[in-house]
Every structure is written in structure tokens, then in C-alpha cells.
Amino acid sequence: MERQTNTKLVTIGVFTATFMTAIEGTIVSTAMPTIVGSLEGMEIMNWVFSIYLLTNAMLTPVYGKLADKIGRKPVFLIGISIFILGSSLCGIAPSMLTLIIARAVQGIGAGAVMPVALTIIADIYPTEKRARILGLNSAAWGVASVFGPLAGGFIVDTVGWHWIFFINVPIGLALLALISVYLIENKHEKTKQPMDILGSVMLMISLLTLLLSFQMIGDEGFSFKILIGLIVTTIFIAVFFFVEKRAEDPVIALHLFKNNSFMLVNLIAALISGFLMGVEVYIPMWMQGVLGTSAGLGGLALAPMSVLWMVGSFVGGSLMVKLKMTKVLLIGLSIILIGGLCLVLLPVSVPVILFFIISAELGIGFGITITTTTVTAQNGVESTEVGVATSFNTLCRTIGQTIMISVFGVLLNSLIAVSLNQSNLSVDKGMMNQLVNPRTAGDIPKEILVPLRTILFDGLHGVFIAGLMLVAAALLLILFLQRPKRAISAKIR
């Protein structure tokens, strides 16, 4: 009798892998002060985070193509193996520079986990169950955002910062065994078409220059150097399309760009992911800088969003069985729009509980919307392209987050600078940094504390208005959406 996939154990493995890569951001953030004290190199420490995200995003579409070409299982195992190697190198890093290089290796491995994990879920669950499982998988990110800082602090205080990386090794090895034994795939037919190496390189360079340019915008504001970066990005994107037209087996089939529904749902996912970053970054800043709450309470306000995201995914899955995809998206986006309107209309001083309520309401909307766009992107392509479609959806969300967090940062800084120039206060931007840190806000003279909080509030108000415009644009895109021509009924192996 032919062996079959153990759906439950593979699902647990997928969830664990997602959680392991998701927690890297928050757990390292908590340990960074200790790491800097040990390795020094404060001037380049931001690259510990940036390089992980960059290599992750660059490799995502390549892994998606490989998953369709040679199978989900080998690509997933390769990604986990590289992640384990990167984690080991991080743990033994003797300097900040070597840590950054090791984080790049970690990011290369992590780039396989998210898209291939979602593709495996698409393979082993039919559409009506898939949305619920995607909701549980998404919850791993929410749990990581809450658990990461706690775990990071505990590990650093007990066994040392090296173990925030070393702990991935035994977990990763267990995952390798679990997926190797219990995920049974149909054999992929061997193809004579070579891997599109040139197209993959052009795509990776395009993503590298694009994401770096927008990251520098967030750090430095717009400059001639960034303009050059965007021009270089445009050139490499043009070369990428030129190469793909002639490739035997392109890394991203160009006909996908002509698929109206596929492109629009991914654009909606990018817009909403951009708004999500605004919510995750600037609600805590509002609570800490404007209301004067602790950093812990500011982060805790996002916990309801993480929990209710899972509920929203369940709701979205149930609705997709009964309603058209466009109606489900309309429901999800409308819920997000209401939450965005609340953030725009809130006055400068509000009860903290309101942020928990808005966070919960937004979580339901995000759960419905992101899950629906993911399933729709998977169902809108042929079964041989599910890996590419899933990785493209993940990539669009990453690009949306990267671009919008930079735009929001520039917008906030500009609004604050204008308000400071118009005020009669003898302060500078450095004092705004002092304001958003609960530990140093108390050192600000009381006579200028309230005016500074008002200036910060006005800046945040502008950010949330911009975020609301993203949601409105996503709602408008629904008018141009059509139901996917085919739906993939995944077999439970």
C-alpha cells in the first residue's frame, strides 16, 4: 500500500517552521543591546535586521519556482537546512560584520519557508479548509510578536545571546526529520528545460536595488543617491522582462502578469500589507509618545489583532464557500476601512482600551482579506504554477510593507519638521526621539511636553490618513476584479 502524507504532523511542521522564522525579528530586537555590547559595531547594527529581510525577499520567487519545478519537499528541506546553517553561524559570530553575513545566510533559508509552507498547505488541503489552516499559520506571526520579546529577554538573561540563534538548530533538525518522513509528494516529472538562472539573477538584483532604495528613503529621506537606485531598479526590471520573454522556463511566467484577477488580488495584498505595517509601527508609538504608556503596553495592544486575525481567517474560509471572492474581499476591506477611520478620527487623548478594540476589529479584517487574496492567487493559476503564485503573493506583501514603512517614515518626519518650524518651541527632532521612548519622556520639561505630544499626534494623524487611502484604493480595485477562471481542488494525499 502506497504511503500517504500525514496531514496533521506535516501541518504542525509547517506551523513550527513559520513560527521559527517569524520570531527571528522580535527575539533579535530584544537581544540587540546585549549583542552590541558584546560585539560592538553599533553604527552597522541596523544591517542585522535589514540583510535578513533583503535576502529573504530576494530568494522568495526563486524558491517558489523551484517548488513547482522539483517539488515542495526538497525545497522546504533545503530552506530549513540553510536556515539552520545561518543560525549556527550567527551563534558563533565573533564580530558584528560576521553576524551580518550569517544573518544574510539565515535570510536565504527563511526565504523558502513562508512561500513553500503556504504551497504545501495548498497541496494538502482543499479550498474550503485551506483558509482556516492559513489563519492558524498566520497566527504564528502574531504569537511570535508577543512571545519573541519575552523569550529573547529570558534567553539573554540566563544562557546568553548566542542561544537565541542556537535554539533554532535542534528545532530545525526535528523539522527536517518530520517533513522528510511524513510529507509524501507525487513524483515530479523530469523536465529538460533548464532553470532560468539569468532571469533569477535579474529578478534578485531588481528586488535588491528596489528594497534598498526604499530602505534608504526611510533612513535618510529622498536624495540623488536614491534616485540613481530607483533608475537602476527600473533598468534591471526591463532587462528581467526581456530575458523572461526568451527563457524556456521563466522563473515567473509572463502570462501571469496578464492574468487580471491574479495581479489585482496581489496588488490588494500589497496595499493592505502596507497599511498593516503602519498599524503595527504607529499604534505603539501613539500609545507611548502621545499617551505616555509603557513600551510593553504599546506592544500588547497589537495582541488582539494577532488573535482575531485567526478568527478572521476562519470567517473568510467559511464565506469563500458561500459567496463570490469579490464579496468576501469587500467584507474584509470594509472592516479594515472602519478600523482605519477610527484611527483617523480619534482625538489626541483617548482611553487606552480603544486601541485594543480597534486592534481586534482590524485583526478580523486583515484575517479575511489576506487569507482571501492568498487563496485566490493560488486558485487563479494552473496547478503546476501554485508555488510561483504563492511566492509572488508573499513577495508582493513584502514589497508593500517595505515601501510603505519607508513612505510613512518620510511622511511622519516631514509633518513633524513642519510643525516644529511653525511652533515657538526651542526644540529639535532629537527631543522627539526622547518623547517616543517612555524611559526618557519624563526628562522633557513639562511646559513643552504637551505641545510636543500634540505635534507627534498630528504627524501620526497624517500617517493614518495615508494608510486609509491605501485601504480605499484596495476597495476601488475590487470593481475590476473577476472570479478566477478555475479553482484548484487540492487532493488530500
Side-chain angles (χ1 to χ4, degrees), residues 412-485:
L412 179 63
N413 289 333
S414 300
L415 292 172
I416 288 176
V418 170
S419 296
L420 286 175
N421 289 334
Q422 292 175 347
S423 70
N424 296 320
L425 301 174
S426 56
V427 297
D428 54 23
K429 289 184 179 179
M431 195 164 284
M432 297 304 297
N433 294 327
Q434 192 176 348
L435 175 68
V436 296
N437 186 343
R439 295 181 179 179
T440 57
D443 299 331
I444 299 175
K446 292 183 179 180
E447 61 271 16
I448 63 172
L449 182 60
V450 173
L452 283 181
R453 284 178 169 171
T454 302
I455 289 173
L456 177 59
F457 166 77
D458 291 338
L460 293 172
H461 188 251
V463 167
F464 286 121
I465 289 176
L468 194 64
M469 292 171 64
L470 296 178
V471 183
L475 277 165
L476 286 175
L477 290 177
I478 293 180
L479 298 175
F480 303 96
L481 262 177
Q482 298 174 348
R483 191 179 181 87
K485 293 181 179 179

Side-chain angles (χ1 to χ4, degrees), residues 309-320:
W309 187 306
M310 182 169 56
V311 175
S313 295
F314 291 166
V315 172
S318 301
L319 291 176
M320 275 189 280

